[in-house]
PDB file of all heavy atoms in Angstrom:
ATOM      1  N   GLU P 166      18.842  36.720  61.078  1.00  0.00           N
ATOM      2  CA  GLU P 166      17.795  36.052  61.939  1.00  0.00           C
ATOM      3  C   GLU P 166      16.570  35.853  61.102  1.00  0.00           C
ATOM      4  O   GLU P 166      16.198  36.773  60.309  1.00  0.00           O
ATOM      5  CB  GLU P 166      17.488  36.787  63.217  1.00  0.00           C
ATOM      6  CG  GLU P 166      18.636  36.873  64.181  1.00  0.00           C
ATOM      7  CD  GLU P 166      18.289  37.768  65.338  1.00  0.00           C
ATOM      8  OE1 GLU P 166      17.587  38.719  65.236  1.00  0.00           O
ATOM      9  OE2 GLU P 166      19.019  37.592  66.391  1.00  0.00           O
ATOM     10  N   ARG P 167      15.914  34.764  61.324  1.00  0.00           N
ATOM     11  CA  ARG P 167      14.520  34.576  60.665  1.00  0.00           C
ATOM     12  C   ARG P 167      13.508  34.347  61.776  1.00  0.00           C
ATOM     13  O   ARG P 167      13.794  33.574  62.708  1.00  0.00           O
ATOM     14  CB  ARG P 167      14.550  33.249  59.712  1.00  0.00           C
ATOM     15  CG  ARG P 167      15.568  33.424  58.652  1.00  0.00           C
ATOM     16  CD  ARG P 167      15.395  32.289  57.694  1.00  0.00           C
ATOM     17  NE  ARG P 167      15.976  31.034  58.221  1.00  0.00           N
ATOM     18  CZ  ARG P 167      16.032  29.908  57.554  1.00  0.00           C
ATOM     19  NH1 ARG P 167      15.443  29.710  56.413  1.00  0.00           N
ATOM     20  NH2 ARG P 167      16.521  28.880  58.142  1.00  0.00           N
ATOM     21  N   CYS P 168      12.411  34.988  61.608  1.00  0.00           N
ATOM     22  CA  CYS P 168      11.345  34.732  62.599  1.00  0.00           C
ATOM     23  C   CYS P 168       9.983  34.805  61.863  1.00  0.00           C
ATOM     24  O   CYS P 168       9.902  35.485  60.811  1.00  0.00           O
ATOM     25  CB  CYS P 168      11.355  35.693  63.730  1.00  0.00           C
ATOM     26  SG  CYS P 168      10.985  37.411  63.275  1.00  0.00           S
ATOM     27  N   ALA P 169       9.056  34.010  62.315  1.00  0.00           N
ATOM     28  CA  ALA P 169       7.754  33.900  61.680  1.00  0.00           C
ATOM     29  C   ALA P 169       7.062  35.264  61.727  1.00  0.00           C
ATOM     30  O   ALA P 169       7.145  35.980  62.661  1.00  0.00           O
ATOM     31  CB  ALA P 169       6.883  32.877  62.395  1.00  0.00           C
ATOM     32  N   VAL P 170       6.404  35.639  60.649  1.00  0.00           N
ATOM     33  CA  VAL P 170       5.609  36.829  60.638  1.00  0.00           C
ATOM     34  C   VAL P 170       4.453  36.668  61.459  1.00  0.00           C
ATOM     35  O   VAL P 170       3.592  35.780  61.403  1.00  0.00           O
ATOM     36  CB  VAL P 170       5.158  37.101  59.153  1.00  0.00           C
ATOM     37  CG1 VAL P 170       4.278  38.366  59.102  1.00  0.00           C
ATOM     38  CG2 VAL P 170       6.438  37.289  58.284  1.00  0.00           C
ATOM     39  N   SER P 171       4.326  37.578  62.389  1.00  0.00           N
ATOM     40  CA  SER P 171       3.209  37.485  63.383  1.00  0.00           C
ATOM     41  C   SER P 171       1.825  37.750  62.811  1.00  0.00           C
ATOM     42  O   SER P 171       0.856  37.204  63.267  1.00  0.00           O
ATOM     43  CB  SER P 171       3.436  38.464  64.572  1.00  0.00           C
ATOM     44  OG  SER P 171       3.503  39.784  64.133  1.00  0.00           O
ATOM     45  N   ALA P 172       1.766  38.537  61.730  1.00  0.00           N
ATOM     46  CA  ALA P 172       0.468  38.847  61.205  1.00  0.00           C
ATOM     47  C   ALA P 172      -0.249  37.623  60.592  1.00  0.00           C
ATOM     48  O   ALA P 172      -1.447  37.520  60.764  1.00  0.00           O
ATOM     49  CB  ALA P 172       0.654  39.994  60.173  1.00  0.00           C
ATOM     50  N   ASP P 173       0.473  36.763  59.939  1.00  0.00           N
ATOM     51  CA  ASP P 173      -0.202  35.652  59.328  1.00  0.00           C
ATOM     52  C   ASP P 173       0.512  34.368  59.573  1.00  0.00           C
ATOM     53  O   ASP P 173      -0.104  33.283  59.185  1.00  0.00           O
ATOM     54  CB  ASP P 173      -0.313  35.917  57.754  1.00  0.00           C
ATOM     55  CG  ASP P 173       0.957  35.995  57.049  1.00  0.00           C
ATOM     56  OD1 ASP P 173       2.031  35.652  57.649  1.00  0.00           O
ATOM     57  OD2 ASP P 173       0.976  36.478  55.901  1.00  0.00           O
ATOM     58  N   GLY P 174       1.656  34.274  60.071  1.00  0.00           N
ATOM     59  CA  GLY P 174       2.313  33.063  60.437  1.00  0.00           C
ATOM     60  C   GLY P 174       2.841  32.236  59.299  1.00  0.00           C
ATOM     61  O   GLY P 174       3.324  31.195  59.396  1.00  0.00           O
ATOM     62  N   ARG P 175       2.585  32.716  58.021  1.00  0.00           N
ATOM     63  CA  ARG P 175       2.978  31.939  56.838  1.00  0.00           C
ATOM     64  C   ARG P 175       4.322  32.234  56.296  1.00  0.00           C
ATOM     65  O   ARG P 175       4.996  31.465  55.691  1.00  0.00           O
ATOM     66  CB  ARG P 175       1.983  32.155  55.707  1.00  0.00           C
ATOM     67  CG  ARG P 175       0.596  31.633  56.023  1.00  0.00           C
ATOM     68  CD  ARG P 175      -0.366  31.890  54.906  1.00  0.00           C
ATOM     69  NE  ARG P 175      -0.344  33.305  54.568  1.00  0.00           N
ATOM     70  CZ  ARG P 175      -0.988  33.815  53.521  1.00  0.00           C
ATOM     71  NH1 ARG P 175      -1.730  33.022  52.750  1.00  0.00           N
ATOM     72  NH2 ARG P 175      -0.950  35.122  53.318  1.00  0.00           N
ATOM     73  N   GLY P 176       4.818  33.487  56.567  1.00  0.00           N
ATOM     74  CA  GLY P 176       6.123  33.858  56.088  1.00  0.00           C
ATOM     75  C   GLY P 176       7.168  34.038  57.081  1.00  0.00           C
ATOM     76  O   GLY P 176       6.888  33.809  58.352  1.00  0.00           O
ATOM     77  N   GLN P 177       8.338  34.436  56.761  1.00  0.00           N
ATOM     78  CA  GLN P 177       9.419  34.647  57.743  1.00  0.00           C
ATOM     79  C   GLN P 177       9.989  36.048  57.441  1.00  0.00           C
ATOM     80  O   GLN P 177      10.184  36.370  56.243  1.00  0.00           O
ATOM     81  CB  GLN P 177      10.552  33.587  57.577  1.00  0.00           C
ATOM     82  CG  GLN P 177      10.213  32.250  57.925  1.00  0.00           C
ATOM     83  CD  GLN P 177      11.365  31.307  57.787  1.00  0.00           C
ATOM     84  OE1 GLN P 177      12.225  31.489  56.914  1.00  0.00           O
ATOM     85  NE2 GLN P 177      11.464  30.316  58.630  1.00  0.00           N
ATOM     86  N   GLU P 178      10.216  36.762  58.497  1.00  0.00           N
ATOM     87  CA  GLU P 178      10.921  38.061  58.336  1.00  0.00           C
ATOM     88  C   GLU P 178      12.403  37.824  58.492  1.00  0.00           C
ATOM     89  O   GLU P 178      12.830  37.197  59.489  1.00  0.00           O
ATOM     90  CB  GLU P 178      10.411  39.046  59.396  1.00  0.00           C
ATOM     91  CG  GLU P 178       9.009  39.575  59.181  1.00  0.00           C
ATOM     92  CD  GLU P 178       8.943  40.660  58.084  1.00  0.00           C
ATOM     93  OE1 GLU P 178       9.958  41.372  57.875  1.00  0.00           O
ATOM     94  OE2 GLU P 178       7.906  40.749  57.439  1.00  0.00           O
ATOM     95  N   ILE P 179      13.190  38.411  57.669  1.00  0.00           N
ATOM     96  CA  ILE P 179      14.689  38.239  57.656  1.00  0.00           C
ATOM     97  C   ILE P 179      15.184  39.589  58.123  1.00  0.00           C
ATOM     98  O   ILE P 179      14.883  40.686  57.545  1.00  0.00           O
ATOM     99  CB  ILE P 179      15.222  37.887  56.332  1.00  0.00           C
ATOM    100  CG1 ILE P 179      14.469  36.744  55.551  1.00  0.00           C
ATOM    101  CG2 ILE P 179      16.703  37.603  56.335  1.00  0.00           C
ATOM    102  CD1 ILE P 179      14.428  35.497  56.408  1.00  0.00           C
ATOM    103  N   THR P 180      16.075  39.567  59.183  1.00  0.00           N
ATOM    104  CA  THR P 180      16.704  40.829  59.659  1.00  0.00           C
ATOM    105  C   THR P 180      18.221  40.465  59.824  1.00  0.00           C
ATOM    106  O   THR P 180      18.599  39.271  60.097  1.00  0.00           O
ATOM    107  CB  THR P 180      16.117  41.282  60.948  1.00  0.00           C
ATOM    108  OG1 THR P 180      16.227  40.253  61.913  1.00  0.00           O
ATOM    109  CG2 THR P 180      14.697  41.706  60.822  1.00  0.00           C
ATOM    110  N   LEU P 181      19.026  41.458  59.758  1.00  0.00           N
ATOM    111  CA  LEU P 181      20.492  41.188  60.008  1.00  0.00           C
ATOM    112  C   LEU P 181      20.692  41.249  61.533  1.00  0.00           C
ATOM    113  O   LEU P 181      20.057  42.051  62.289  1.00  0.00           O
ATOM    114  CB  LEU P 181      21.241  42.379  59.300  1.00  0.00           C
ATOM    115  CG  LEU P 181      21.255  42.477  57.863  1.00  0.00           C
ATOM    116  CD1 LEU P 181      22.201  43.516  57.373  1.00  0.00           C
ATOM    117  CD2 LEU P 181      21.578  41.080  57.222  1.00  0.00           C
ATOM    118  N   THR P 182      21.658  40.466  61.940  1.00  0.00           N
ATOM    119  CA  THR P 182      22.128  40.506  63.311  1.00  0.00           C
ATOM    120  C   THR P 182      23.171  41.638  63.389  1.00  0.00           C
ATOM    121  O   THR P 182      23.599  42.125  62.334  1.00  0.00           O
ATOM    122  CB  THR P 182      22.852  39.119  63.686  1.00  0.00           C
ATOM    123  OG1 THR P 182      23.921  39.016  62.801  1.00  0.00           O
ATOM    124  CG2 THR P 182      21.877  38.025  63.576  1.00  0.00           C
ATOM    125  N   PRO P 183      23.579  42.055  64.600  1.00  0.00           N
ATOM    126  CA  PRO P 183      24.657  43.046  64.677  1.00  0.00           C
ATOM    127  C   PRO P 183      25.884  42.570  63.875  1.00  0.00           C
ATOM    128  O   PRO P 183      26.574  43.347  63.292  1.00  0.00           O
ATOM    129  CB  PRO P 183      24.909  43.108  66.181  1.00  0.00           C
ATOM    130  CG  PRO P 183      23.544  42.789  66.760  1.00  0.00           C
ATOM    131  CD  PRO P 183      23.004  41.727  65.944  1.00  0.00           C
ATOM    132  N   GLN P 184      26.196  41.287  63.924  1.00  0.00           N
ATOM    133  CA  GLN P 184      27.361  40.758  63.233  1.00  0.00           C
ATOM    134  C   GLN P 184      27.130  40.913  61.713  1.00  0.00           C
ATOM    135  O   GLN P 184      28.078  41.181  60.974  1.00  0.00           O
ATOM    136  CB  GLN P 184      27.623  39.316  63.569  1.00  0.00           C
ATOM    137  CG  GLN P 184      28.813  38.681  62.866  1.00  0.00           C
ATOM    138  CD  GLN P 184      29.088  37.245  63.305  1.00  0.00           C
ATOM    139  OE1 GLN P 184      28.666  36.803  64.346  1.00  0.00           O
ATOM    140  NE2 GLN P 184      29.799  36.556  62.412  1.00  0.00           N
ATOM    141  N   GLY P 185      25.907  40.633  61.267  1.00  0.00           N
ATOM    142  CA  GLY P 185      25.529  40.767  59.821  1.00  0.00           C
ATOM    143  C   GLY P 185      25.777  42.192  59.376  1.00  0.00           C
ATOM    144  O   GLY P 185      26.313  42.469  58.251  1.00  0.00           O
ATOM    145  N   TRP P 186      25.308  43.148  60.222  1.00  0.00           N
ATOM    146  CA  TRP P 186      25.477  44.584  59.922  1.00  0.00           C
ATOM    147  C   TRP P 186      26.965  44.894  59.770  1.00  0.00           C
ATOM    148  O   TRP P 186      27.435  45.623  58.870  1.00  0.00           O
ATOM    149  CB  TRP P 186      24.856  45.458  60.893  1.00  0.00           C
ATOM    150  CG  TRP P 186      23.404  45.605  60.766  1.00  0.00           C
ATOM    151  CD1 TRP P 186      22.406  45.115  61.405  1.00  0.00           C
ATOM    152  CD2 TRP P 186      22.690  46.393  59.653  1.00  0.00           C
ATOM    153  NE1 TRP P 186      21.114  45.559  60.926  1.00  0.00           N
ATOM    154  CE2 TRP P 186      21.341  46.312  59.786  1.00  0.00           C
ATOM    155  CE3 TRP P 186      23.283  47.148  58.623  1.00  0.00           C
ATOM    156  CZ2 TRP P 186      20.513  46.958  58.935  1.00  0.00           C
ATOM    157  CZ3 TRP P 186      22.348  47.808  57.738  1.00  0.00           C
ATOM    158  CH2 TRP P 186      20.978  47.700  58.017  1.00  0.00           C
ATOM    159  N   ASP P 187      27.802  44.412  60.695  1.00  0.00           N
ATOM    160  CA  ASP P 187      29.251  44.587  60.701  1.00  0.00           C
ATOM    161  C   ASP P 187      29.858  44.085  59.385  1.00  0.00           C
ATOM    162  O   ASP P 187      30.650  44.763  58.717  1.00  0.00           O
ATOM    163  CB  ASP P 187      29.910  44.045  61.914  1.00  0.00           C
ATOM    164  CG  ASP P 187      29.651  44.723  63.230  1.00  0.00           C
ATOM    165  OD1 ASP P 187      29.211  45.795  63.231  1.00  0.00           O
ATOM    166  OD2 ASP P 187      29.935  44.087  64.263  1.00  0.00           O
ATOM    167  N   VAL P 188      29.462  42.868  59.005  1.00  0.00           N
ATOM    168  CA  VAL P 188      29.994  42.294  57.794  1.00  0.00           C
ATOM    169  C   VAL P 188      29.612  43.091  56.505  1.00  0.00           C
ATOM    170  O   VAL P 188      30.441  43.325  55.725  1.00  0.00           O
ATOM    171  CB  VAL P 188      29.475  40.837  57.650  1.00  0.00           C
ATOM    172  CG1 VAL P 188      29.798  40.203  56.261  1.00  0.00           C
ATOM    173  CG2 VAL P 188      30.130  39.956  58.847  1.00  0.00           C
ATOM    174  N   VAL P 189      28.376  43.426  56.376  1.00  0.00           N
ATOM    175  CA  VAL P 189      27.970  44.162  55.200  1.00  0.00           C
ATOM    176  C   VAL P 189      28.563  45.592  55.178  1.00  0.00           C
ATOM    177  O   VAL P 189      29.014  46.048  54.118  1.00  0.00           O
ATOM    178  CB  VAL P 189      26.379  44.252  55.067  1.00  0.00           C
ATOM    179  CG1 VAL P 189      25.750  45.266  55.994  1.00  0.00           C
ATOM    180  CG2 VAL P 189      26.074  44.591  53.584  1.00  0.00           C
ATOM    181  N   ARG P 190      28.780  46.290  56.341  1.00  0.00           N
ATOM    182  CA  ARG P 190      29.391  47.553  56.399  1.00  0.00           C
ATOM    183  C   ARG P 190      30.925  47.441  56.018  1.00  0.00           C
ATOM    184  O   ARG P 190      31.458  48.353  55.419  1.00  0.00           O
ATOM    185  CB  ARG P 190      29.154  48.183  57.735  1.00  0.00           C
ATOM    186  CG  ARG P 190      27.819  48.748  57.977  1.00  0.00           C
ATOM    187  CD  ARG P 190      27.649  49.366  59.288  1.00  0.00           C
ATOM    188  NE  ARG P 190      26.274  49.809  59.441  1.00  0.00           N
ATOM    189  CZ  ARG P 190      25.655  49.493  60.574  1.00  0.00           C
ATOM    190  NH1 ARG P 190      26.084  48.781  61.520  1.00  0.00           N
ATOM    191  NH2 ARG P 190      24.318  50.017  60.713  1.00  0.00           N
ATOM    192  N   THR P 191      31.492  46.283  56.454  1.00  0.00           N
ATOM    193  CA  THR P 191      32.950  46.129  56.164  1.00  0.00           C
ATOM    194  C   THR P 191      33.201  45.753  54.679  1.00  0.00           C
ATOM    195  O   THR P 191      34.117  46.259  54.040  1.00  0.00           O
ATOM    196  CB  THR P 191      33.492  45.043  57.046  1.00  0.00           C
ATOM    197  OG1 THR P 191      33.290  45.395  58.361  1.00  0.00           O
ATOM    198  CG2 THR P 191      34.894  44.763  56.773  1.00  0.00           C
ATOM    199  N   ALA P 192      32.213  45.030  54.059  1.00  0.00           N
ATOM    200  CA  ALA P 192      32.347  44.546  52.714  1.00  0.00           C
ATOM    201  C   ALA P 192      32.003  45.603  51.681  1.00  0.00           C
ATOM    202  O   ALA P 192      32.568  45.589  50.587  1.00  0.00           O
ATOM    203  CB  ALA P 192      31.561  43.292  52.431  1.00  0.00           C
ATOM    204  N   ALA P 193      31.114  46.412  51.972  1.00  0.00           N
ATOM    205  CA  ALA P 193      30.520  47.429  51.005  1.00  0.00           C
ATOM    206  C   ALA P 193      31.543  48.250  50.351  1.00  0.00           C
ATOM    207  O   ALA P 193      31.558  48.444  49.134  1.00  0.00           O
ATOM    208  CB  ALA P 193      29.397  48.201  51.585  1.00  0.00           C
ATOM    209  N   PRO P 194      32.476  48.877  51.115  1.00  0.00           N
ATOM    210  CA  PRO P 194      33.352  49.869  50.482  1.00  0.00           C
ATOM    211  C   PRO P 194      34.241  49.158  49.386  1.00  0.00           C
ATOM    212  O   PRO P 194      34.506  49.657  48.305  1.00  0.00           O
ATOM    213  CB  PRO P 194      34.262  50.266  51.613  1.00  0.00           C
ATOM    214  CG  PRO P 194      33.358  50.257  52.854  1.00  0.00           C
ATOM    215  CD  PRO P 194      32.627  48.907  52.614  1.00  0.00           C
ATOM    216  N   GLY P 195      34.773  47.994  49.704  1.00  0.00           N
ATOM    217  CA  GLY P 195      35.616  47.232  48.662  1.00  0.00           C
ATOM    218  C   GLY P 195      34.809  46.743  47.540  1.00  0.00           C
ATOM    219  O   GLY P 195      35.308  46.858  46.408  1.00  0.00           O
ATOM    220  N   HIS P 196      33.560  46.383  47.702  1.00  0.00           N
ATOM    221  CA  HIS P 196      32.680  45.919  46.645  1.00  0.00           C
ATOM    222  C   HIS P 196      32.328  47.116  45.738  1.00  0.00           C
ATOM    223  O   HIS P 196      32.408  46.999  44.496  1.00  0.00           O
ATOM    224  CB  HIS P 196      31.468  45.261  47.202  1.00  0.00           C
ATOM    225  CG  HIS P 196      30.615  44.793  46.127  1.00  0.00           C
ATOM    226  ND1 HIS P 196      30.936  43.773  45.297  1.00  0.00           N
ATOM    227  CD2 HIS P 196      29.288  45.178  45.737  1.00  0.00           C
ATOM    228  CE1 HIS P 196      29.928  43.517  44.424  1.00  0.00           C
ATOM    229  NE2 HIS P 196      28.957  44.368  44.716  1.00  0.00           N
ATOM    230  N   VAL P 197      32.036  48.240  46.353  1.00  0.00           N
ATOM    231  CA  VAL P 197      31.618  49.370  45.450  1.00  0.00           C
ATOM    232  C   VAL P 197      32.771  49.883  44.727  1.00  0.00           C
ATOM    233  O   VAL P 197      32.680  50.390  43.582  1.00  0.00           O
ATOM    234  CB  VAL P 197      30.864  50.533  46.294  1.00  0.00           C
ATOM    235  CG1 VAL P 197      31.740  51.334  47.145  1.00  0.00           C
ATOM    236  CG2 VAL P 197      30.076  51.387  45.306  1.00  0.00           C
ATOM    237  N   THR P 198      33.991  49.798  45.319  1.00  0.00           N
ATOM    238  CA  THR P 198      35.211  50.234  44.601  1.00  0.00           C
ATOM    239  C   THR P 198      35.491  49.336  43.390  1.00  0.00           C
ATOM    240  O   THR P 198      35.763  49.883  42.303  1.00  0.00           O
ATOM    241  CB  THR P 198      36.386  50.190  45.587  1.00  0.00           C
ATOM    242  OG1 THR P 198      36.204  51.168  46.644  1.00  0.00           O
ATOM    243  CG2 THR P 198      37.632  50.524  44.909  1.00  0.00           C
ATOM    244  N   MET P 199      35.331  48.046  43.583  1.00  0.00           N
ATOM    245  CA  MET P 199      35.425  47.113  42.446  1.00  0.00           C
ATOM    246  C   MET P 199      34.504  47.443  41.457  1.00  0.00           C
ATOM    247  O   MET P 199      34.805  47.434  40.153  1.00  0.00           O
ATOM    248  CB  MET P 199      35.343  45.645  42.921  1.00  0.00           C
ATOM    249  CG  MET P 199      35.677  44.647  41.907  1.00  0.00           C
ATOM    250  SD  MET P 199      34.260  44.023  40.916  1.00  0.00           S
ATOM    251  CE  MET P 199      32.960  43.638  41.952  1.00  0.00           C
ATOM    252  N   VAL P 200      33.174  47.588  41.756  1.00  0.00           N
ATOM    253  CA  VAL P 200      32.141  47.936  40.703  1.00  0.00           C
ATOM    254  C   VAL P 200      32.518  49.239  39.999  1.00  0.00           C
ATOM    255  O   VAL P 200      32.489  49.224  38.719  1.00  0.00           O
ATOM    256  CB  VAL P 200      30.769  47.961  41.409  1.00  0.00           C
ATOM    257  CG1 VAL P 200      29.785  48.582  40.399  1.00  0.00           C
ATOM    258  CG2 VAL P 200      30.344  46.638  41.931  1.00  0.00           C
ATOM    259  N   ARG P 201      32.903  50.209  40.666  1.00  0.00           N
ATOM    260  CA  ARG P 201      33.252  51.526  40.082  1.00  0.00           C
ATOM    261  C   ARG P 201      34.470  51.265  39.138  1.00  0.00           C
ATOM    262  O   ARG P 201      34.454  51.801  37.972  1.00  0.00           O
ATOM    263  CB  ARG P 201      33.571  52.597  41.138  1.00  0.00           C
ATOM    264  CG  ARG P 201      34.136  53.814  40.556  1.00  0.00           C
ATOM    265  CD  ARG P 201      34.115  55.046  41.452  1.00  0.00           C
ATOM    266  NE  ARG P 201      32.721  55.334  41.858  1.00  0.00           N
ATOM    267  CZ  ARG P 201      31.785  55.876  41.104  1.00  0.00           C
ATOM    268  NH1 ARG P 201      32.035  56.075  39.851  1.00  0.00           N
ATOM    269  NH2 ARG P 201      30.657  56.150  41.555  1.00  0.00           N
ATOM    270  N   GLU P 202      35.527  50.605  39.541  1.00  0.00           N
ATOM    271  CA  GLU P 202      36.689  50.550  38.721  1.00  0.00           C
ATOM    272  C   GLU P 202      36.545  49.675  37.540  1.00  0.00           C
ATOM    273  O   GLU P 202      37.188  49.972  36.542  1.00  0.00           O
ATOM    274  CB  GLU P 202      37.829  50.021  39.642  1.00  0.00           C
ATOM    275  CG  GLU P 202      38.302  51.033  40.685  1.00  0.00           C
ATOM    276  CD  GLU P 202      39.384  50.501  41.605  1.00  0.00           C
ATOM    277  OE1 GLU P 202      39.617  49.277  41.620  1.00  0.00           O
ATOM    278  OE2 GLU P 202      39.902  51.307  42.360  1.00  0.00           O
ATOM    279  N   ILE P 203      35.699  48.596  37.645  1.00  0.00           N
ATOM    280  CA  ILE P 203      35.621  47.747  36.430  1.00  0.00           C
ATOM    281  C   ILE P 203      34.430  47.999  35.600  1.00  0.00           C
ATOM    282  O   ILE P 203      34.442  47.660  34.361  1.00  0.00           O
ATOM    283  CB  ILE P 203      35.730  46.190  36.779  1.00  0.00           C
ATOM    284  CG1 ILE P 203      34.444  45.730  37.538  1.00  0.00           C
ATOM    285  CG2 ILE P 203      37.009  45.908  37.579  1.00  0.00           C
ATOM    286  CD1 ILE P 203      34.428  44.227  37.678  1.00  0.00           C
TER     287      ILE P 203
END
Side-chain angles (χ1 to χ4, degrees):
E166 296 173 330
R167 297 187 287 178
C168 65
V170 176
S171 60
D173 62 16
R175 295 181 305 177
Q177 293 181 329
E178 287 285 331
I179 312 302
T180 56
L181 297 184
T182 63
Q184 182 178 338
W186 278 108
D187 289 345
V188 168
V189 75
R190 286 182 182 126
T191 300
H196 181 65
V197 75
T198 297
M199 186 270 311
V200 169
R201 172 162 300 289
E202 289 175 353
I203 70 169

